[in-house]
Amino acid sequence: MPKCPKCNDEIDTLNNYQSGENKYKLFIQGKDYHYDEDEFQPNNQVNDYECPHCGEVLFRDEDKAIEFLRGN
């Protein structure tokens, strides 16, 4: 299992934070919003992959994050 280069904890996931816009629908019945997961539009300003333990940004590239988790 890979270890975080910042805190040295073993990790099997990375937290991914992306900036962009979500599409919501507001229904006429009142304050009922529906989030459509397929309608997220990233704007490519933020795409951070962080250690789930220490919160440090380890990668900004998805391919490198995947390679790290696979131990390559």
Side-chain angles (χ1 to χ4, degrees):
M1 183 174 307
K3 289 188 176 187
C4 172
K6 305 289 183 172
C7 69
N8 207 35
D9 282 350
E10 288 187 347
I11 54 177
D12 59 357
T13 63
L14 295 171
N15 295 332
N16 178 229
Y17 295 94
Q18 295 183 20
S19 61
E21 295 181 0
N22 287 321
K23 178 180 177 182
Y24 291 88
K25 293 182 182 180
L26 175 62
F27 293 92
I28 196 165
Q29 292 87 3
K31 298 178 182 178
D32 188 18
Y33 284 89
H34 173 71
Y35 169 65
D36 188 347
E37 292 183 30
D38 295 329
E39 293 294 328
F40 177 73
Q41 300 295 319
N43 64 12
N44 299 320
Q45 291 178 359
V46 173
N47 191 25
D48 294 342
Y49 293 86
E50 299 181 359
C51 172
H53 299 281
C54 68
E56 289 290 324
V57 175
L58 303 180
F59 302 98
R60 291 197 164 90
D61 179 271
E62 181 180 34
D63 291 335
K64 290 181 181 179
I66 291 170
E67 285 179 24
F68 171 77
L69 288 174
R70 289 183 176 163
N72 298 335

